[in-house]
């Protein structure tokens, strides 16, 4: 896809997420790698429902603002992931209801916040490590992600929300939807005896694609 197509895709998919309740107000941010190696990102404070293709921000791999509106304050954590994960070409960060609720629970397993109980969670995400709470926009989030990026497809910021990667923007959005649905199911099942997938079942799903 060329830059114009990627801009339009970001506008269209962001609006679709907004209309289906994955994003509200000015929360969350998106980015995608451009053919020239720079990155397209959502402007800070922008609503997913009202992005304008020509106003999207462009930053380089050092975070320098190249064009468009002022970029998201979380651009540093997006760049930390791209740097460490060569398979990641797009990132979705949401404050979606169920994943954010999960991120606020006490006693979360920080090595993996959602133990596998459905195959698509394993095929699209696998494991969900938790990053300790830091104020939004602070460099510590990027530093923590830098240690984990490349080993996982998604991350949960404690008391904040999820970060989901993809091989392209459509893949990142599909992964985000699958993960939000999985969090919803996890919360529905929280007080019910659950049969988790066995280690053998999980291994059998890995590397089989989607
Ligand atoms: O989700 C957000 C902060 O974590 C939103 O910040 P931006 O509006 O700067 O992208
Ligand atoms: Zn956020």
């Amino acid at each position: 896809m060329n830059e114009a197509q990627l801009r339009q895709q970001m506008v269209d998919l962001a609006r679709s997420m907004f209309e289906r309740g994955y994003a509200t107000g000015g929360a969350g941010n998106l980015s995608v790698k451009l053919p020239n190696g720079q990155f397209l990102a959502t402007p800070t404070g922008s609503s997913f429902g009202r992005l304008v293709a020509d106003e999207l921000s462009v930053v380089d791999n050092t975070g320098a603002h190249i064009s468009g509106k002022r970029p998201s304050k979380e651009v540093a954590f997006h760049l930390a992931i791209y740097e460490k994960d060569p398979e990641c070409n797009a990132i979705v960060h949401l404050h979606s209801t169920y994943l954010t609720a999960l991120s606020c629970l006490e006693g979360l397993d920080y090595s993996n916040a959602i133990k596998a109980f459905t195959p698509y969670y394993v095929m699209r995400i696998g494991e969900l490590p938790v990053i300790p709470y830091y104020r939004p926009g602070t460099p510590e989030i990027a530093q923590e992600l830098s240690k984990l990026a490349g080993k996982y497809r998604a991350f949960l910021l404690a008391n904040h929300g999820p970060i989901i990667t993809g091989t392209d923007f459509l893949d990142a959005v599909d992964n985000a939807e699958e993960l939000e649905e999985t969090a919803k199911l996890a919360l529905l099942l929280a007080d019910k005896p659950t049969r988790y997938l066995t280690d053998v079942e999980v291994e059998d799903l890995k590397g089989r694609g989607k």
Side-chain angles (χ1 to χ4, degrees):
M1 277 199 184
N2 63 32
E3 179 168 335
Q5 290 167 324
L6 288 167
R7 283 175 182 269
Q8 195 54 48
Q9 185 185 45
M10 184 175 281
V11 170
D12 292 345
L13 287 174
R15 188 183 304 117
S16 162
M17 283 191 276
F18 182 82
E19 285 170 352
R20 290 176 298 130
Y22 286 89
T24 44
N29 35 73
L30 307 165
S31 68
V32 66
K33 204 182 271 183
L34 291 170
N36 68 1
Q38 294 179 335
F39 299 90
L40 194 62
T42 46
T44 188
S46 53
S47 162
F48 280 24
R50 295 186 293 274
L51 295 177
V52 176
D54 291 341
E55 292 178 357
L56 296 175
S57 317
V58 175
V59 297
D60 71 13
N61 64 351
T62 70
H65 183 196
I66 306 296
S67 63
K69 285 192 165 179
R70 190 154 63 89
S72 167
K73 62 178 158 298
E74 305 289 21
V75 140
F77 83 53
H78 287 244
L79 294 174
I81 296 173
Y82 288 119
E83 191 189 336
K84 291 287 166 66
D85 185 353
E87 285 180 22
C88 171
N89 293 306
I91 296 173
V92 172
H93 165 56
L94 302 171
H95 297 178
S96 50
T97 309
Y98 291 94
L99 282 160
T100 303
L102 187 74
S103 82
C104 299
L105 292 182
E106 220 158 43
L108 271 187
D109 177 355
Y110 272 37
S111 70
N112 181 17
I114 304 181
K115 205 166 151 237
F117 52 82
T118 62
Y120 262 67
Y121 168 66
V122 179
M123 287 149 70
R124 286 202 165 269
I125 306 290
E127 287 162 306
L128 184 64
V130 182
I131 308 292
Y133 175 78
Y134 295 103
R135 183 164 47 81
T138 48
E140 287 87 348
I141 302 177
Q143 286 159 18
E144 294 285 338
L145 281 166
S146 214
K147 298 179 206 161
L148 300 174
K151 303 185 191 113
Y152 301 94
R153 294 192 183 139
F155 311 88
L156 190 61
L157 302 176
N159 299 86
H160 183 165
I163 302 167
I164 304 102
T165 67
T167 51
D168 59 27
F169 198 61
L170 207 49
D171 185 51
V173 171
D174 283 350
N175 288 345
E177 292 181 13
E178 188 66 39
L179 188 57
E180 174 68 1
E181 204 56 27
T182 305
K184 184 176 181 176
L185 293 170
L187 292 169
L188 273 174
L189 292 168
D191 59 353
K192 298 181 176 60
T194 302
R195 190 191 85 84
Y196 291 93
L197 295 181
T198 65
D199 290 349
V200 172
E201 287 165 343
V202 169
E203 278 312 309
D204 176 56
L205 290 162
K206 284 186 181 167
R208 284 190 185 265
K210 291 155 194 167

